């Protein structure tokens, strides 16, 4: 117990062998040379690196920071430390002996940004911790070998960088895009093919067995466990890295053919100079994906078109010699739908609670879509959000008397407040009235901490 008391922020990693994990060699060789050297350091003792103390502490901190829902065993992140303090020696021994058996993942569904539902597989927190430790060891070796045109789930890379790369291609005269959509990518990854790719980079049979066990752990849905024969369920720390390994084969093929492209996870845009070239690329690359990767291209969502007509990671582009990043129409539509959902009157939600939820959503949304280069759109959305809130307040006040009192208290003259409160116009119409704009100007929303989307950053 004294060890636990001394290590409140970390794990009490008992019964560990001393020594440092092997580190991949540093170097600044050319990209082609780096990618040719798949795994320059020995890979037959990777499990020792996985269970090395510093690696585990980093994994613990990441899992703790990410939090997340419990898996099939109901254990929360907050209970993980005490559990590992007691059981880690036995788990460690199982890992080193190649005998650890993961539990099934818990199937949950979340709403996708563009409609429909996305299925996630939530591992137990113990399995998430082990996956994170494995991912850190493998990523430190594999990431350097991945394409410069791959941006998803990689340290130091982001969706914004992928969008900027796409913008660069368009500015260079690539006037058509081959927009590829992989149908249910994470659900369709072929396990045997994936393990074959991993085995080219990993010699440690214990680690290969562990990864295969994670892939085959099964899925619990509605209280019943079904086998998982394909796919890498989204929700575990290891899945993003494995997905990049699967699609690295696509990246290499595109580079071999000399194509300019930007890929973020399973979103891949290839840039060409003519529609005819785009159609050829679409056909040949689709065949490669189906035959070589054993995946399926969604023909309904894939297309060859002008970049202005497509979206990439929520952004689109203006036309002309100097294309600018703009927010895609569907992203703007989803924004409005989400704001309506947050501000809609619900039982038990006060206006203060709705504003707080909206504040959090706007901050996150601005952090991503503030990368656009069309500030007029942000200003229009700002104006719409404020009008939406004025409408909500008006509905909440309900009666003419309460509306009059609220307007007068917020600085509106008695005559204007009385005339507005007695109006039989609808809430949305009145939300742009002089009285409500006087009562709740932009400065009012600033005072309650509502972030402006178009504010300078």
């Amino acid at each position: 117990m004294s060890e636990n008391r001394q290590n409140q922020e970390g794990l009490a990693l008992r019964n560990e062998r001393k020594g440092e994990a092997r580190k991949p060699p540093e170097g600044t060789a050319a990209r082609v040379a780096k990618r040719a050297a798949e795994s320059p350091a020995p890979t037959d003792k990777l499990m020792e690196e996985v269970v090395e103390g510093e690696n585990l502490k980093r994994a613990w901190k990441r899992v703790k920071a990410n939090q997340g829902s419990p898996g099939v065993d109901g254990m929360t992140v907050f209970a993980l430390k005490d559990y590992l303090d007691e059981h880690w020696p036995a788990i460690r021994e199982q890992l080193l002996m190649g005998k650890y058996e993961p539990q099934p993942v818990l199937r949950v569904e979340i709403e996708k940004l563009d409609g429909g539902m996305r299925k996630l597989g939530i591992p137990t927190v113990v399995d998430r911790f082990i996956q994170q430790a494995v991912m850190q060891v493998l990523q430190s070796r594999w990431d350097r070998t991945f394409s410069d045109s791959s941006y998803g789930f990689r340290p130091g890379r982001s969706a914004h960088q992928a969008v900027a790369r796409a913008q660069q291609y368009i500015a260079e005269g690539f006037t058509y895009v081959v927009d590829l959509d992989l149908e249910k990518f994470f659900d369709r990854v072929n396990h045997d093919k994936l393990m074959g790719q991993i085995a080219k980079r990993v010699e440690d049979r214990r680690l290969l067995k562990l990864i295969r066990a994670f892939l085959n752990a099964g899925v619990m849905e509605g209280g019943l466990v079904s086998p998982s024969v394909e796919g890498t369920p989204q929700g575990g720390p290891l899945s993003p890295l494995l997905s990049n390994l699967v699609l690295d084969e696509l990246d290499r093929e595109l580079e071999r053919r000399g194509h300019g492209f930007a890929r973020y996870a399973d979103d891949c845009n290839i840039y060409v100079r003519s529609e005819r070239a785009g159609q050829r690329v679409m056909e040949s690359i689709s065949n490669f994906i189906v035959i070589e990767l054993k995946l399926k291209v969604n023909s309904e969502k894939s297309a060859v078109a002008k970049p202005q007509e497509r979206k990439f990671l929520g952004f689109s582009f203006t036309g002309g010699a100097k294309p600018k990043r703009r927010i895609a129409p569907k992203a703007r539509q989803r924004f409005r739908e989400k704001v309506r959902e947050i501000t809609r009157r619900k039982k038990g939600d006060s206006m203060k609670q709705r504003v707080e939820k909206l504040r959090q959503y706007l901050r996150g949304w601005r952090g991503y879509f503030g990368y656009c280069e069309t500030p007029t759109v942000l200003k229009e959305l700002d104006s719409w959000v404020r009008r939406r809130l004025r409408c909500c307040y008006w509905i909440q006040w309900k009666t003419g008397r309460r509306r009059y009192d609220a307007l007068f208290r917020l600085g509106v003259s008695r005559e204007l407040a009385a005339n507005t409160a007695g109006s039989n116009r609808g809430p949305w119409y009145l939300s742009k009235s002089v009285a409500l704009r006087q009562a709740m100007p932009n400065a009012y929303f600033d005072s309650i901490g509502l972030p402006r989307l178009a504010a300078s950053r």
Side-chain angles (χ1 to χ4, degrees):
M1 290 298 292
S2 61
E3 191 173 15
N4 290 353
R5 294 285 186 269
Q6 295 170 2
N7 197 17
Q8 292 297 318
E9 293 302 318
L11 294 172
L13 300 170
R14 300 191 296 272
N15 300 334
E16 290 201 276
R17 301 171 186 168
K18 302 296 182 182
E20 294 184 356
R22 293 186 182 89
K23 296 181 180 179
E26 300 294 334
T28 55
R31 178 172 61 84
V32 174
K34 284 192 297 181
R35 297 195 67 194
E38 291 290 335
S39 300
T43 62
D44 59 337
K45 298 292 183 182
L46 291 182
M47 192 63 81
E48 279 72 15
E49 295 187 27
V50 170
V51 301
E52 192 271 331
E54 288 304 315
N55 185 55
L56 294 175
K57 289 176 182 177
R58 287 196 296 122
W60 153 248
K61 289 179 180 178
R62 174 57 61 186
V63 171
K64 181 182 177 182
N66 290 343
Q67 295 191 12
S69 304
V72 296
D73 61 356
M75 185 187 299
T76 66
V77 172
F78 305 104
L80 176 61
K81 179 183 178 298
D82 289 340
Y83 181 87
L84 291 176
D85 284 346
E86 180 178 354
H87 297 283
W88 176 247
I91 296 173
R92 181 179 183 277
E93 188 65 20
Q94 291 171 12
L95 290 169
L96 290 173
M97 295 294 291
K99 295 181 179 181
Y100 182 80
E101 295 184 4
Q103 296 190 64
V105 298
L106 180 65
R107 175 74 77 202
V108 297
E109 291 186 342
I110 62 171
E111 188 176 354
K112 296 169 64 174
L113 292 177
D114 56 354
M117 302 300 291
R118 184 188 304 279
K119 291 186 176 182
L120 299 183
I122 308 300
T124 65
V125 290
V126 175
D127 286 342
R128 291 210 295 272
F129 169 69
I130 295 172
Q131 282 195 33
Q132 180 67 32
V134 171
M135 187 277 291
Q136 290 169 179
V137 170
L138 296 182
Q139 186 176 64
S140 67
R141 292 166 174 266
W142 294 359
D143 190 74
R144 71 186 65 188
T145 72
F146 291 154
S147 170
D148 284 346
S149 297
S150 165
Y151 294 90
F153 311 127
R154 297 182 61 188
R157 289 175 168 255
S158 69
H160 286 171
Q161 291 174 335
V163 172
R165 173 66 74 92
Q167 184 180 15
Q168 179 182 346
Y169 283 127
I170 300 167
E172 291 173 356
F174 293 87
T175 53
Y176 280 85
V177 60
V178 180
D179 187 357
L180 286 170
D181 184 275
L182 301 182
E183 186 173 306
K184 298 181 179 179
F185 166 70
F186 287 92
D187 298 329
R188 294 184 182 275
V189 171
N190 184 283
H191 286 180
D192 291 336
K193 185 166 182 59
L194 171 57
M195 290 306 303
Q197 290 293 99
I198 298 172
K200 293 177 182 178
R201 300 170 178 243
V202 173
E203 298 174 276
D204 193 324
R205 293 181 178 275
R206 299 163 299 174
L207 188 54
L208 291 171
K209 183 179 178 182
L210 178 63
I211 295 173
R212 171 72 83 167
F214 277 125
L215 292 174
N216 295 340
V219 177
M220 176 178 284
E221 190 169 14
L224 299 175
V225 177
S226 56
S228 48
V229 295
E230 64 178 359
T232 58
Q234 296 182 76
L238 194 54
S239 292
L241 179 62
L242 297 182
S243 71
N244 270 335
L245 181 60
V246 171
L247 292 176
D248 184 60
E249 195 170 346
L250 171 62
D251 297 341
R252 289 173 183 266
E253 181 66 15
L254 292 173
E255 289 178 346
R256 187 185 68 79
R257 299 185 185 192
H259 292 312
F261 68 99
R263 183 178 66 78
Y264 189 96
D266 55 337
D267 286 326
C268 184
N269 277 6
I270 308 166
Y271 292 88
V272 295
R273 295 187 184 276
S274 70
E275 184 175 10
R276 186 175 180 180
Q279 295 295 349
R280 287 199 304 268
V281 171
M282 173 66 82
E283 182 179 359
S284 61
I285 293 299
S286 294
N287 288 337
F288 175 84
I289 290 171
V290 172
I291 297 171
E292 300 297 330
L293 302 186
K294 312 300 182 186
L295 298 171
K296 186 176 180 180
V297 176
N298 188 328
S299 57
E300 293 183 1
K301 293 185 177 180
S302 300
V304 176
K306 293 279 189 180
Q308 298 82 12
E309 300 170 4
R310 305 296 293 178
K311 64 179 178 68
F312 183 48
L313 303 176
F315 290 91
S316 184
F317 303 94
T318 62
K322 295 183 178 180
K324 292 184 178 181
R325 299 181 296 271
R326 64 180 182 182
I327 304 169
K330 283 189 176 181
R332 298 200 300 269
Q333 179 183 344
R334 290 195 299 268
F335 172 83
R336 290 175 183 265
E337 291 172 353
K338 184 64 176 179
V339 170
R340 289 190 186 100
E341 178 188 335
I342 292 172
T343 56
R344 187 177 296 118
R345 188 169 185 181
K346 302 172 185 175
K347 187 176 182 180
D349 270 10
S350 67
M351 197 64 200
K352 183 178 180 181
Q353 290 172 318
R354 282 181 273 174
V355 169
E356 177 58 31
K357 291 178 183 177
L358 182 61
R359 182 187 297 125
Q360 294 176 8
Y361 175 69
L362 292 180
R363 283 200 192 106
W365 196 91
R366 183 182 67 182
Y368 185 75
F369 285 104
Y371 189 60
C372 77
E373 296 175 308
T374 50
T376 300
V377 174
L378 296 179
K379 292 178 181 177
E380 290 174 354
L381 292 175
D382 264 333
S383 178
W384 179 82
V385 168
R386 291 190 291 265
R387 185 178 176 187
R388 172 74 184 174
L389 284 175
R390 292 183 187 112
C391 180
C392 291
Y393 276 111
W394 186 254
I395 294 173
Q396 186 188 43
W397 293 333
K398 290 185 178 179
T399 66
R401 182 64 193 181
R402 288 180 62 185
R403 289 167 175 169
Y404 169 81
D405 290 342
L407 290 174
F408 182 67
R409 186 174 64 252
L410 290 170
V412 179
S413 68
R414 292 184 181 275
E415 182 179 0
L416 182 56
N419 289 339
T420 306
S423 173
N424 59 3
R425 294 281 193 173
W428 185 244
Y429 180 90
L430 290 172
S431 64
K432 65 176 182 179
S433 67
V434 174
L436 266 71
R437 284 189 283 115
Q438 282 185 7
M440 289 174 281
N442 295 346
Y444 171 81
F445 294 109
D446 292 340
S447 71
I448 63 174
L450 197 72
R452 296 194 190 193
L453 302 178
S456 59
R457 301 168 60 198

